[in-house]
Amino acid sequence: MGIHAYFRSLGGLERIIRCPGKFKFEEHSVAAHSWKVVQYAKTLADIEEQHGVKIDWKKLYEITSSHDYGEIFIGDIKTPVKHSSPQLRALIQQVEEGMVHHFIEENIPSEFKSIFYNQLREGKDDSVEGRILEVADKLDQVYEAFAELQKGNTEKEFITMYRSALMKIKDIPLHCVGYFLDRILPDLVNEETMSPIDIRRITEEALANNIR
C-alpha cells in the first residue's frame, strides 16, 4: 500500500486514549498528546537557544511528532506499569520497535525505508533534542495529571504520575528545566483550586526528592 498505509494509520492515534479508564474529567488521545509535545518542545528549544545551545530543529520536529507512533500497535500502557521494572520497560520498547520495523518493511517503499526508520525510532537519548523530548513528554504528563487533581480526581495514579514526572524533569540537565521550575511551575501550582489533594505539598516533596 506504500506511504498511504502510513498516512492511513495516523488516524489510529486519535482513538487511543492515554491512561484508559482513569481520566474522569478530560480524556486525552495519543494524537493530542503528540501535538502538545511538539508545542512544548518548540518553546523549550527556544529557551535553550537563548542560552547559546545549538538546536537541530529538523531532528527535534521528527522525534517529537513521531515519538509515540508505535502505540498504534500496542496501545497506551499506563506509566506505573510500563516503568515498574527496567526489564519490563525494555521488553515493551523491544516489542514496539519490532512492530514499527515490521510495518515499515511491509508498507514503505524501499527508497523511503531508511528515512522512516530514522524518523520513527526511539528519540529519547543524550542529545539535546532527545533530552528536550523527554522533558516535553513528561511536561504533558504533569499537565494531564494536574488537571485531574485540580478538578477533584483523587485517584492515586494521578498523584504518582504528577510526582514522578516532576522528579524526572528535575534531573534532566537542560537550561529549560530551570526555567520551567522557576518560572512556569509556580504559576501552575498557584492556580486557584478546590482539589482535596494538596498539590503544593506534593510538588514540594517531588522537587526535594523526599518521595521515592
Side-chain angles (χ1 to χ4, degrees):
M1 295 178 67
I3 290 178
H4 164 69
Y6 170 68
F7 288 165
R8 190 76 173 85
S9 72
L10 297 176
L13 294 177
E14 297 177 302
R15 296 185 290 275
I16 299 173
I17 301 302
R18 286 166 57 77
C19 201
K22 292 295 183 178
F23 284 108
K24 292 181 179 179
F25 299 100
E26 295 180 32
E27 286 191 335
H28 305 271
S29 71
V30 174
H33 163 71
S34 294
W35 183 84
K36 287 183 290 181
V37 167
V38 174
Q39 307 313 307
Y40 299 142
K42 287 194 302 183
T43 299
L44 298 174
D46 285 333
I47 294 170
E48 292 301 310
E49 282 198 328
Q50 287 186 343
H51 285 82
V53 178
K54 183 176 177 56
I55 302 295
D56 183 339
W57 285 92
K58 182 176 187 294
K59 176 182 178 180
L60 182 70
Y61 283 126
E62 286 178 348
I63 63 176
T64 54
S65 61
S66 300
H67 76 283
D68 275 340
Y69 178 76
E71 291 189 6
I72 285 177
F73 307 107
I74 67 171
D76 180 58
I77 298 175
K78 298 174 186 178
T79 295
V81 175
K82 185 161 47 180
H83 295 283
S84 60
S85 76
Q87 294 82 7
L88 179 58
R89 176 71 185 111
L91 181 59
I92 292 171
Q93 184 173 331
Q94 181 181 349
V95 171
E96 183 176 299
E97 289 176 350
M99 297 191 78
V100 171
H101 185 278
H102 178 74
F103 176 82
I104 293 172
E105 282 296 307
E106 290 291 310
N107 295 283
I108 303 302
S110 58
E111 66 268 29
F112 293 106
K113 276 184 167 58
S114 63
I115 294 173
F116 273 76
Y117 285 133
N118 185 58
Q119 291 182 351
L120 302 184
R121 73 190 189 283
E122 171 57 65
K124 295 174 183 175
D125 56 27
D126 288 334
S127 68
V128 63
E129 296 81 14
R131 288 173 175 169
I132 289 174
L133 168 58
E134 180 74 23
V135 175
D137 193 31
K138 295 301 180 186
L139 190 54
D140 197 40
Q141 186 176 315
V142 167
Y143 274 98
E144 287 177 343
F146 176 83
E148 289 292 304
L149 296 172
Q150 186 186 43
K151 293 173 183 176
N153 189 340
T154 57
E155 290 272 0
K156 291 182 179 179
E157 189 160 353
F158 287 100
I159 297 175
T160 300
M161 285 172 58
Y162 179 80
R163 187 169 58 212
S164 64
L166 282 180
M167 292 174 64
K168 180 66 176 179
I169 290 172
K170 175 181 176 290
D171 292 334
I172 297 174
L174 290 172
H175 299 288
C176 59
V177 169
Y179 189 95
F180 167 71
L181 296 176
D182 295 338
R183 305 283 293 277
I184 300 174
L185 184 59
D187 288 341
L188 181 144
V189 174
N190 288 333
E191 281 192 10
E192 184 176 349
T193 176
M194 299 296 292
S195 175
I197 304 296
D198 190 343
I199 299 174
R200 185 178 300 277
R201 177 184 61 80
I202 296 170
T203 302
E204 291 172 350
E205 288 177 342
L207 296 182
N209 284 357
N210 290 334
I211 303 296
R212 296 290 181 178

